[in-house]
Each structure stands twice: as C-alpha cells, then as structure tokens.
Amino acid sequence: MFDKKSIEILQIIEANGRIDSEKIAKMVDLTAKEVDSYIEELENNNVILSYSAVVNWAKLPVQEAVTAMIDVKVAPKRGVGFDEVAERIYRFPEVKALYLMSGAYDLSVVVEGKTMQETARFVSERLSTIDSVLSTTTHFQLKTYKHDGVIFKEPEEDRRIVVTP
C-alpha cells in the first residue's frame, strides 16, 4: 500500500505542491501515470489532505490578520481523553490549527482574527468557557520569519564587485 516511493512522492509534494507528475516521475524513477496513481491512492486514503500555498500577506496592501498561539490547560474526560474538547475547539472557524502537546500545557491552538480585540474576545468568550478548559495563555504573533519551511526574508543583493579580464 504505502512503500518507499510513496514516501519519496510525499516529500516532493510537501516541498512543492505544484510540481507536475512528469517532474516527480523523473525524480523517483517512475512513469507519470504511476505517479498519478500513487497520488490518487494517497488522496483517497487521506494521507494527502489538501494542497496549499505559503503566502506572505505582509507584502500586500490588505488588512493583515492577527495570529495568536494559545496554550490551553485541559481537564481530560474519562474514556475520551483530550479528543472531545479538541473536537469542540477545532470546530470554531477562527481556529487554524490545533495540536496535542507534551509539557506544561495540553493543547496548542492557532487562532486568526481581524484584530487583537477580536482574538481576545474569542479566547474569553468562546475558548475559556468550555467546561474542560482550566486555563489559557495567549501569545500574539508579531512577525513571521519562517513558516512551513519557507523563509520570509528578502533575497540579499549580490554586493560582489564584477571582475572582468
């Protein structure tokens, strides 16, 4: 079902979701048709869940969203652990990501809002009011340096002096 070629294809697609089957085929020594078959199987088995782009919204003249990372301490419920409260949290449209963590907090929630006040309201009115939630700590993202392996830095200009014979 899932072999070494599947892993190779996934690694390539994860780095560049727009790469075409012909290029992948050359990289993994398969035909484009075989690559398409692998990808279809990976999609059908929910291994590949979606394709997305990493966008530097700071470069555009639009209202930037406010992103917050919220550490959440939870009282797990008998028989379901953290899954039940996690499901309640990830169903909120403001929640962009949710992770079960080890350490001082149980869940890490990534939330996006239009303003800091909107995000704070989400935490105080919706997240903190869930029965199993014991405490939250909110961290607002100030600047993105790297996201999903992509560095958000302008390429530096080559300052070397051109030498000609």
Side-chain angles (χ1 to χ4, degrees), residues 5-146:
K5 294 290 184 188
S6 296
I7 303 299
E8 290 177 34
I9 291 168
L10 286 169
Q11 290 170 332
I12 293 166
I13 291 172
E14 187 176 39
N16 179 2
R18 293 190 62 170
I19 191 167
D20 63 50
S21 300
E22 294 286 336
K23 288 182 183 172
I24 296 172
K26 289 176 186 171
M27 296 167 79
V28 298
D29 196 30
L30 292 171
T31 67
K33 196 171 188 174
E34 289 172 320
V35 168
D36 289 338
S37 178
Y38 269 98
I39 291 172
E40 182 179 357
E41 183 179 0
L42 292 164
E43 290 171 344
N44 290 339
N45 286 293
N46 291 326
V47 175
I48 297 175
L49 298 174
S50 81
Y51 298 89
S52 63
V54 177
V55 179
N56 187 353
W57 290 106
K59 293 284 191 179
L60 300 172
V62 296
Q63 174 71 29
E64 283 188 67
V66 174
T67 302
M69 284 76 161
I70 305 163
D71 299 326
V72 183
K73 186 76 174 158
V74 176
K77 290 190 176 181
R78 187 177 306 254
V80 293
F82 297 102
D83 294 345
E84 186 177 286
V85 70
E87 185 174 342
R88 285 191 65 194
I89 293 170
Y90 71 60
R91 291 192 181 280
F92 291 119
E94 299 90 342
V95 175
K96 299 302 173 196
L98 175 62
Y99 308 98
L100 178 63
M101 306 296 289
S102 64
Y105 287 88
D106 303 307
L107 299 173
S108 179
V109 185
V110 179
V111 175
E112 211 171 81
K114 292 180 182 165
T115 64
M116 288 179 82
Q117 290 78 15
E118 181 181 292
T119 304
R121 244 187 332 277
F122 168 79
V123 174
S124 65
E125 296 173 7
R126 299 177 90 186
L127 185 60
S128 296
T129 59
I130 297 173
D131 288 337
S132 299
V133 172
L134 303 174
S135 67
T136 64
T137 303
T138 303
H139 310 275
F140 286 99
Q141 178 182 314
L142 303 177
K143 182 177 180 179
T144 301
Y145 292 100
K146 186 175 184 177

